[in-house]
Amino acid sequence: DTGVSQDPRHKITKRGQNVTFRCDPISEHNRLYWYRQTLGQGPEFLTYFQNEAQLEKSRLLSDRFSAERPKGSFSTLEIQRTEQGDSAMYLCASSSAVGYPYGYTFGSGTRLTVV
Amino acid sequence: GEDVEQSLFLSVREGDSSVINCTYTDSSSTYLYWYKQEPGAGLQLLTYIFSNMDMKQDQRLTVLLNKKDKHLSLRIADTQTGDSAIYFCAETDYGGSQGNLIFGKGTKLSVKP
Protein backbone atom coordinates (compact mmCIF):
# COMPACT_ATOMS: atom_id res chain seq x y z
CA ASP A 1 0.00 0.00 0.00
CA THR A 2 1.43 3.35 -1.01
CA GLY A 3 -0.55 5.48 1.42
CA VAL A 4 -3.14 8.10 0.53
CA SER A 5 -2.92 9.24 -3.09
CA GLN A 6 -4.26 12.48 -4.45
CA ASP A 7 -4.59 13.51 -8.06
CA PRO A 8 -3.69 15.90 -9.53
CA ARG A 9 -0.85 17.36 -7.46
CA HIS A 10 -1.37 20.78 -9.00
CA LYS A 11 -4.27 22.38 -10.83
CA ILE A 12 -4.43 25.83 -12.38
CA THR A 13 -7.85 26.91 -13.55
CA LYS A 14 -9.60 30.02 -14.71
CA ARG A 15 -12.18 31.62 -12.50
CA GLY A 16 -15.62 30.23 -13.22
CA GLN A 17 -14.42 26.80 -14.34
CA ASN A 18 -15.27 23.55 -12.57
CA VAL A 19 -12.55 21.35 -11.12
CA THR A 20 -12.56 17.84 -9.67
CA PHE A 21 -9.96 16.24 -7.41
CA ARG A 22 -9.57 12.59 -6.59
CA CYS A 23 -8.41 10.86 -3.43
CA ASP A 24 -7.52 7.20 -3.07
CA PRO A 25 -7.32 6.29 0.61
CA ILE A 26 -5.43 3.44 2.22
CA SER A 27 -7.37 0.39 1.09
CA GLU A 28 -8.41 -0.92 4.50
CA HIS A 29 -9.47 2.51 5.80
CA ASN A 30 -13.21 3.07 5.84
CA ARG A 31 -13.06 6.73 6.90
CA LEU A 32 -12.09 9.51 4.51
CA TYR A 33 -11.71 13.22 5.22
CA TRP A 34 -11.22 16.34 3.12
CA TYR A 35 -9.40 19.39 4.50
CA ARG A 36 -8.47 22.73 2.95
CA GLN A 37 -5.26 24.58 3.78
CA THR A 38 -4.60 28.15 2.74
CA LEU A 39 -1.20 29.83 2.92
CA GLY A 40 -0.02 30.39 6.47
CA GLN A 41 -2.93 28.53 7.99
CA GLY A 42 -3.53 25.09 9.39
CA PRO A 43 -5.80 22.66 7.60
CA GLU A 44 -9.54 23.26 8.00
CA PHE A 45 -12.03 20.42 8.00
CA LEU A 46 -14.40 20.26 5.04
CA THR A 47 -16.18 16.91 5.11
CA TYR A 48 -15.99 13.30 6.27
CA PHE A 49 -17.16 9.94 4.93
CA GLN A 50 -17.58 6.63 6.64
CA ASN A 51 -17.69 4.11 3.83
CA GLU A 52 -19.94 5.73 1.20
CA ALA A 53 -21.95 7.83 3.66
CA GLN A 54 -21.10 11.51 4.01
CA LEU A 55 -21.55 11.98 7.74
CA GLU A 56 -20.41 15.52 8.36
CA LYS A 57 -19.96 18.72 6.39
CA SER A 58 -18.36 21.94 7.53
CA ARG A 59 -20.06 25.27 6.94
CA LEU A 60 -16.95 26.01 4.84
CA LEU A 61 -18.36 23.62 2.25
CA SER A 62 -20.50 26.01 0.24
CA ASP A 63 -23.09 24.94 -2.32
CA ARG A 64 -20.41 25.08 -4.99
CA PHE A 65 -18.54 22.22 -3.34
CA SER A 66 -19.63 18.62 -3.55
CA ALA A 67 -17.89 15.46 -2.43
CA GLU A 68 -18.70 11.87 -3.21
CA ARG A 69 -17.43 8.45 -2.28
CA PRO A 70 -19.65 6.23 -4.40
CA LYS A 71 -18.31 2.79 -3.56
CA GLY A 72 -16.73 3.52 -0.24
CA SER A 73 -13.25 3.51 -1.76
CA PHE A 74 -11.94 6.57 -3.65
CA SER A 75 -13.51 9.99 -3.23
CA THR A 76 -13.91 13.03 -5.46
CA LEU A 77 -14.21 16.67 -4.48
CA GLU A 78 -15.74 18.96 -7.09
CA ILE A 79 -15.73 22.73 -7.01
CA GLN A 80 -18.12 24.42 -9.41
CA ARG A 81 -17.72 27.99 -10.69
CA THR A 82 -14.34 28.40 -9.02
CA GLU A 83 -13.46 31.70 -7.36
CA GLN A 84 -10.05 33.11 -6.52
CA GLY A 85 -10.77 32.48 -2.85
CA ASP A 86 -10.86 28.76 -3.59
CA SER A 87 -7.11 28.80 -4.22
CA ALA A 88 -5.67 26.49 -1.56
CA MET A 89 -4.17 23.10 -0.89
CA TYR A 90 -6.87 20.44 -0.66
CA LEU A 91 -5.82 17.57 1.58
CA CYS A 92 -7.36 14.16 1.88
CA ALA A 93 -6.87 11.86 4.86
CA SER A 94 -8.07 8.41 5.77
CA SER A 95 -8.33 6.29 8.89
CA SER A 96 -9.86 3.09 10.06
CA ALA A 97 -12.58 2.90 12.67
CA VAL A 98 -10.34 0.60 14.67
CA GLY A 99 -7.34 2.90 14.48
CA TYR A 100 -9.29 6.09 15.12
CA PRO A 101 -8.44 8.56 16.43
CA TYR A 102 -4.74 8.09 16.03
CA GLY A 103 -4.67 6.56 12.60
CA TYR A 104 -5.15 9.56 10.33
CA THR A 105 -2.92 9.40 7.23
CA PHE A 106 -2.80 12.43 4.98
CA GLY A 107 -2.09 12.56 1.28
CA SER A 108 0.30 15.07 -0.28
CA GLY A 109 -2.57 17.28 -1.36
CA THR A 110 -3.81 18.96 -4.52
CA ARG A 111 -2.75 22.58 -4.88
CA LEU A 112 -5.42 24.60 -6.65
CA THR A 113 -4.66 27.99 -8.17
CA VAL A 114 -7.59 29.97 -9.57
CA VAL A 115 -6.53 32.75 -11.94
CA GLY B 1 -15.67 28.23 19.43
CA GLU B 2 -12.82 25.82 19.48
CA ASP B 3 -9.40 27.31 18.86
CA VAL B 4 -5.80 26.15 18.81
CA GLU B 5 -2.99 28.71 19.12
CA GLN B 6 0.70 28.33 18.34
CA SER B 7 3.63 30.68 18.02
CA LEU B 8 4.48 31.08 14.35
CA PHE B 9 8.27 30.77 14.28
CA LEU B 10 11.08 29.06 16.15
CA SER B 11 14.76 29.07 15.28
CA VAL B 12 17.32 26.78 16.91
CA ARG B 13 20.86 25.57 16.29
CA GLU B 14 21.56 22.01 15.22
CA GLY B 15 22.03 19.78 18.25
CA ASP B 16 19.96 21.98 20.56
CA SER B 17 16.52 21.05 21.86
CA SER B 18 13.44 22.63 20.31
CA VAL B 19 10.26 23.28 22.26
CA ILE B 20 7.09 24.09 20.34
CA ASN B 21 4.13 25.25 22.37
CA CYS B 22 0.39 25.10 21.77
CA THR B 23 -2.70 26.18 23.68
CA TYR B 24 -6.23 25.04 23.02
CA THR B 25 -9.62 26.12 24.26
CA ASP B 26 -11.84 23.05 24.00
CA SER B 27 -11.96 21.50 27.46
CA SER B 28 -13.55 18.36 26.01
CA SER B 29 -10.51 17.65 23.82
CA THR B 30 -9.75 14.00 24.20
CA TYR B 31 -6.84 13.53 21.83
CA LEU B 32 -4.09 15.97 20.93
CA TYR B 33 -1.70 15.55 18.05
CA TRP B 34 1.50 16.88 16.59
CA TYR B 35 1.87 16.83 12.81
CA LYS B 36 4.88 17.78 10.68
CA GLN B 37 4.59 19.32 7.23
CA GLU B 38 7.56 19.71 4.91
CA PRO B 39 7.39 22.11 1.95
CA GLY B 40 4.91 20.98 -0.69
CA ALA B 41 3.99 17.86 1.24
CA GLY B 42 1.05 16.57 3.22
CA LEU B 43 0.97 16.19 6.97
CA GLN B 44 2.90 13.49 8.76
CA LEU B 45 1.63 12.37 12.15
CA LEU B 46 4.50 12.63 14.62
CA THR B 47 2.82 11.70 17.85
CA TYR B 48 -0.39 11.99 19.82
CA ILE B 49 -1.41 12.04 23.47
CA PHE B 50 -4.62 11.19 25.26
CA SER B 51 -6.02 13.82 27.58
CA ASN B 52 -5.63 11.54 30.60
CA MET B 53 -1.84 11.51 30.12
CA ASP B 54 0.67 14.12 31.27
CA MET B 55 3.62 13.06 29.19
CA LYS B 56 4.54 10.83 26.31
CA GLN B 57 8.02 10.09 25.04
CA ASP B 58 8.85 8.65 21.65
CA GLN B 59 12.56 8.56 20.76
CA ARG B 60 13.63 12.21 20.32
CA LEU B 61 10.12 13.52 20.86
CA THR B 62 8.60 14.37 24.25
CA VAL B 63 5.03 15.63 24.54
CA LEU B 64 3.90 17.38 27.70
CA LEU B 65 0.24 18.08 28.43
CA ASN B 66 -1.01 20.47 31.10
CA LYS B 67 -4.74 19.89 30.97
CA LYS B 68 -5.51 22.49 33.62
CA ASP B 69 -3.86 25.23 31.55
CA LYS B 70 -4.85 23.61 28.23
CA HIS B 71 -1.20 23.73 27.18
CA LEU B 72 0.59 21.21 24.99
CA SER B 73 4.25 21.19 24.09
CA LEU B 74 6.50 19.20 21.79
CA ARG B 75 10.17 18.89 22.64
CA ILE B 76 12.56 17.66 19.97
CA ALA B 77 15.89 16.58 21.40
CA ASP B 78 19.12 16.94 19.41
CA THR B 79 17.38 18.89 16.65
CA GLN B 80 18.69 18.19 13.15
CA THR B 81 18.46 20.19 9.93
CA GLY B 82 16.03 17.57 8.67
CA ASP B 83 13.64 18.63 11.41
CA SER B 84 13.13 21.97 9.67
CA ALA B 85 9.43 22.05 8.81
CA ILE B 86 6.09 23.42 9.98
CA TYR B 87 4.69 21.72 13.07
CA PHE B 88 0.95 21.68 13.68
CA CYS B 89 -0.82 21.06 16.92
CA ALA B 90 -4.32 19.58 16.54
CA GLU B 91 -7.09 18.42 18.81
CA THR B 92 -10.29 16.46 18.54
CA ASP B 93 -13.13 15.46 20.77
CA TYR B 94 -13.60 11.74 20.41
CA GLY B 95 -16.94 11.94 22.10
CA GLY B 96 -18.23 14.44 19.59
CA SER B 97 -17.52 14.82 15.93
CA GLN B 98 -15.56 11.94 14.58
CA GLY B 99 -14.18 13.80 11.62
CA ASN B 100 -13.13 17.15 12.86
CA LEU B 101 -9.48 17.76 13.68
CA ILE B 102 -8.93 21.37 14.76
CA PHE B 103 -5.46 22.57 13.75
CA GLY B 104 -3.37 25.51 14.87
CA LYS B 105 -1.72 27.75 12.28
CA GLY B 106 1.55 25.93 12.62
CA THR B 107 5.01 26.76 13.97
CA LYS B 108 7.77 27.05 11.40
CA LEU B 109 10.92 25.49 12.84
CA SER B 110 14.21 26.59 11.31
CA VAL B 111 17.32 24.64 12.27
CA LYS B 112 20.63 26.39 11.67
CA PRO B 113 23.78 24.32 11.19
Side-chain angles (χ1 to χ4, degrees), chain B residues 6 10-11 13 17-19 21 23 26 30 39 44 48 50 53 57 60-61 78 85 88-89 96 105 107 109-110:
Chain B
Q6 300 178 239
L10 177 65
S11 180
R13 292 212 172 271
S17 291
S18 307
V19 180
N21 295 300
T23 57
D26 186 0
T30 316
Q44 174 193 354
Y48 61 90
F50 301 155
M53 298 169 66
Q57 187 149 4
R60 293 191 298 124
L61 304 179
D78 186 26
F88 291 94
C89 170
K105 292 185 178 182
T107 300
L109 174 64
S110 297

Side-chain angles (χ1 to χ4, degrees), chain B residues 62-77:
Chain B
T62 303
V63 179
L64 295 177
L65 174 61
N66 181 329
K67 195 174 179 183
K68 174 176 169 291
D69 294 338
K70 300 193 184 79
H71 183 267
L72 183 73
S73 68
L74 174 70
R75 178 178 181 268
I76 305 173

Side-chain angles (χ1 to χ4, degrees), chain B residues 11-73:
Chain B
S11 180
V12 300
R13 292 212 172 271
E14 193 173 20
D16 289 350
S17 291
S18 307
V19 180
I20 302 171
N21 295 300
C22 167
T23 57
Y24 59 97
T25 58
D26 186 0
S27 58
S28 65
S29 292
T30 316
Y31 298 91
L32 297 125
Y33 307 82
W34 285 103
Y35 281 86
K36 176 183 180 182
Q37 187 176 38
E38 297 183 76
L43 286 88
Q44 174 193 354
L45 177 64
L46 288 178
T47 187
Y48 61 90
I49 189 167
F50 301 155
S51 60
N52 62 358
M53 298 169 66
D54 298 323
M55 185 182 85
K56 181 178 180 183
Q57 187 149 4
D58 185 0
Q59 299 181 344
R60 293 191 298 124
L61 304 179
T62 303
V63 179
L64 295 177
L65 174 61
N66 181 329
K67 195 174 179 183
K68 174 176 169 291
D69 294 338
K70 300 193 184 79
H71 183 267
L72 183 73
S73 68

Side-chain angles (χ1 to χ4, degrees), chain A residues 59-73:
Chain A
R59 65 181 185 279
L60 293 176
L61 213 67
S62 76
D63 292 344
R64 297 184 297 106
F65 287 70
S66 62
E68 292 182 343
R69 195 182 182 199
K71 296 181 181 178
S73 56

Side-chain angles (χ1 to χ4, degrees), chain A residues 26-88:
Chain A
I26 291 173
S27 56
E28 61 266 28
H29 285 181
N30 61 347
R31 298 183 179 199
L32 187 147
Y33 314 86
W34 285 99
Y35 285 80
R36 182 174 70 186
Q37 185 179 20
T38 53
L39 201 62
Q41 301 294 318
E44 295 172 297
F45 170 76
L46 292 178
T47 190
Y48 150 62
F49 290 85
Q50 180 155 314
N51 300 313
E52 64 274 11
Q54 189 173 17
L55 295 186
E56 189 169 349
K57 290 195 289 187
S58 162
R59 65 181 185 279
L60 293 176
L61 213 67
S62 76
D63 292 344
R64 297 184 297 106
F65 287 70
S66 62
E68 292 182 343
R69 195 182 182 199
K71 296 181 181 178
S73 56
F74 73 91
S75 175
T76 57
L77 177 68
E78 181 183 16
I79 308 174
Q80 295 182 326
R81 304 181 303 282
T82 51
E83 301 173 356
Q84 286 189 320
D86 296 331
S87 295

